[in-house]
């Protein structure tokens, strides 16, 4: 059974994010107790390829989403058919993992030249209470205005995270009413047909992601 992976490089990092979620649903209590590290498992089927990221082709999760973007438009995965899509769960007040991931994705898109027009970054907020549409619009503008930021109700956010087997949980801050959010730190990569293909761990680097996106785009 796959388990979530909490980053333990430092106390502050540990409180900021959780890498990967298992292939089966786990309770919040068990998530806080488990210490092993695995990527979300695939649903089986396709043979291994030379992808740099973790191949989860055939997985029976991360099939779609239905949330509102920073401009108030309802978006689903089908809206981006024909593009390689990179989906990341995070929040705008995240101090390091989220901005690093989005900046890296913007760098990768720019490095692909014309092929970059066929890459779509999607940021899903796990903190819809603070991440307003205006906040998300400003946040995406700092990286790439073409990136889509999505938010939903608390119930919609929970349902979307469950569909992606992504973990997130509020962590109380030092002052009353303040909090941070632990969350899955990797990215989900979809091919141009809208099928999930890869899970990319945080910190894997820009070049491996660029190589994988080029390979997926070459498949059509």
């Amino acid at each position: 059974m796959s388990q979530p992976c909490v980053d333990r490089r430092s106390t502050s990092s540990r409180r900021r994010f959780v890498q990967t979620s298992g292939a089966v649903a786990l309770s919040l209590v068990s998530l806080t107790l488990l210490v092993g590290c695995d990527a979300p498992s695939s649903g089986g089927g396709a043979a291994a390829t030379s992808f740099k990221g973790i191949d989860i082709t055939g997985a029976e999760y991360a099939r779609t989403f239905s949330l509102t973007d920073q401009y108030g438009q309802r978006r689903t995965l089908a809206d981006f058919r024909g593009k390689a899509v990179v989906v990341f769960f995070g929040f705008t007040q995240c101090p390091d993992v989220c901005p690093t991931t989005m900046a890296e994705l913007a760098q990768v898109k720019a490095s692909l030249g014309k092929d970059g027009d066929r890459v779509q970054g999607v940021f899903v907020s796990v903190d819809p209470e603070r991440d307003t549409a205006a906040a998300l619009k400003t946040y995406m503008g700092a990286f790439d205005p073409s990136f889509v930021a999505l938010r939903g109700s608390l119930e919609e956010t929970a349902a979307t995270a469950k569909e992606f087997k992504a973990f997130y949980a509020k962590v109380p801050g030092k002052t009353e009413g303040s909090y941070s959010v632990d969350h899955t730190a990797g990215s989900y990569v979809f091919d141009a047909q809208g099928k999930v293909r890869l899970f990319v761990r945080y910190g894997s680097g820009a070049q491996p992601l660029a190589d994988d996106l080029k390979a997926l785009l070459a498949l059509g």
Side-chain angles (χ1 to χ4, degrees):
M1 179 171 67
S2 297
Q3 299 175 351
C5 173
V6 179
D7 188 303
R8 303 187 182 280
R9 290 174 296 180
S10 69
T11 300
S12 60
S13 294
R14 179 175 60 81
R15 292 176 65 84
R16 289 169 183 152
F17 67 95
V18 174
Q19 275 194 322
T20 77
S21 58
V24 296
L26 295 171
S27 70
L28 182 57
V29 173
S30 64
L31 281 167
T32 63
L33 297 176
L34 297 171
V35 296
C37 299
D38 284 304
S41 63
S42 96
T49 69
S50 59
F51 289 124
K52 309 293 176 60
I54 299 167
D55 192 338
I56 57 172
T57 299
E60 295 181 356
Y61 55 89
R63 291 162 294 189
T64 191
F65 49 75
S66 179
L67 297 166
T68 304
D69 69 15
Q70 67 265 47
Y71 301 102
Q73 182 178 349
R74 201 72 173 177
R75 308 302 293 266
T76 69
L77 189 60
D79 294 334
F80 310 112
R81 192 63 59 88
K83 294 184 177 182
V85 180
V86 182
V87 176
F88 178 80
F89 287 78
F91 63 114
T92 63
Q93 296 189 42
C94 175
D96 45 24
V97 176
C98 302
T100 297
T101 298
M102 299 312 296
E104 187 173 89
L105 181 54
Q107 175 189 343
V108 167
K109 180 179 177 179
S111 74
L112 294 177
K114 289 185 178 180
D115 281 342
D117 294 336
R118 297 176 61 206
V119 173
Q120 180 64 57
V122 176
F123 180 93
V124 180
S125 173
V126 294
D127 187 17
E129 294 172 285
R130 295 184 298 190
D131 288 347
T132 63
L136 290 171
K137 184 176 180 180
T138 299
Y139 194 69
M140 290 299 97
F143 303 106
D144 187 317
S146 73
F147 288 171
V148 170
L150 302 175
R151 66 185 300 275
S153 65
L154 294 176
E155 294 76 15
E156 289 172 330
T157 301
T160 302
K162 182 178 180 180
E163 169 62 28
F164 277 71
K165 297 189 181 296
F167 169 79
Y168 70 98
K170 284 186 178 181
V171 178
K174 295 181 179 179
T175 60
E176 184 177 356
S178 68
Y179 64 90
S180 184
V181 185
D182 281 356
H183 61 92
T184 295
S187 300
Y188 302 80
V189 182
F190 295 76
D191 63 23
Q193 285 71 50
K195 303 296 184 182
V196 67
R197 301 297 298 272
L198 304 170
F199 182 82
V200 178
R201 294 183 187 274
Y202 171 70
S204 297
Q207 191 57 55
L209 177 57
D211 292 342
D212 282 348
L213 289 172
K214 280 190 278 189
L216 285 176
L217 290 171
L219 296 175

